[in-house]
Amino acid sequence: MRFAAIVNAAGGTLRTIDVEQFTRHIETALTEAGHEVEIVMASGKDVVEAVERVTTDPRLDGIIVAGGDGTLSLGAAAAWKHEKLLAVVPAGTMNFFAKSLELPTDIFAAVEALATGEEKRVDIA
């Protein structure tokens, strides 16, 4: 599958780690699982534009959103609207949406789980 990974550099967890190392981890994990991925770094108002751009790209099957609940909510709405798969990396401070999906809260473990995971329908309301 082809993904764009939107990494909100202002996400709570991402402000405390080496983001370049994290994005390399995303690329490696997805590539090794047979996927293609484009990394899109964004923060602040740029996140809205990045989400809209990638969810309207007909070449992509889905988006990976690494950020807090606000970023994930934005990604979920756009993915639903444009019929794209959504993969969630809990990189905020509370991560309620990711916890409700029972995803690992460690961002590196979450990427590993997503790279080899299966598609599943969930309630985004």
Side-chain angles (χ1 to χ4, degrees), residues 48-110:
V48 175
E49 180 182 314
V51 168
E52 186 62 27
R53 181 176 58 81
V54 300
T55 55
T56 58
D57 186 337
R59 298 172 300 131
L60 298 174
D61 300 303
I63 64 170
I64 299 166
V65 180
D69 287 324
T71 305
L72 301 179
S73 177
L74 177 68
W80 175 80
K81 178 181 176 183
H82 298 289
E83 299 181 351
K84 301 285 185 187
L85 295 174
L86 172 69
V88 173
V89 177
T93 52
M94 301 300 281
N95 302 313
F96 292 124
F97 185 61
K99 288 176 183 175
S100 73
L101 298 174
E102 299 179 353
L103 291 172
T105 55
D106 174 83
I107 60 174
F108 291 90

Side-chain angles (χ1 to χ4, degrees), residues 8-83:
N8 183 348
T13 302
L14 296 174
R15 290 185 303 226
T16 64
I17 66 161
D18 180 341
V19 177
E20 286 184 28
Q21 177 190 13
F22 176 63
T23 58
R24 284 191 306 272
H25 181 70
I26 294 171
E27 291 172 333
T28 301
L30 268 74
T31 301
E32 287 178 357
H35 305 291
E36 294 178 36
V37 63
E38 167 195 351
I39 304 295
V40 179
M41 295 295 295
S43 62
K45 295 177 185 175
D46 294 339
V47 173
V48 175
E49 180 182 314
V51 168
E52 186 62 27
R53 181 176 58 81
V54 300
T55 55
T56 58
D57 186 337
R59 298 172 300 131
L60 298 174
D61 300 303
I63 64 170
I64 299 166
V65 180
D69 287 324
T71 305
L72 301 179
S73 177
L74 177 68
W80 175 80
K81 178 181 176 183
H82 298 289
E83 299 181 351

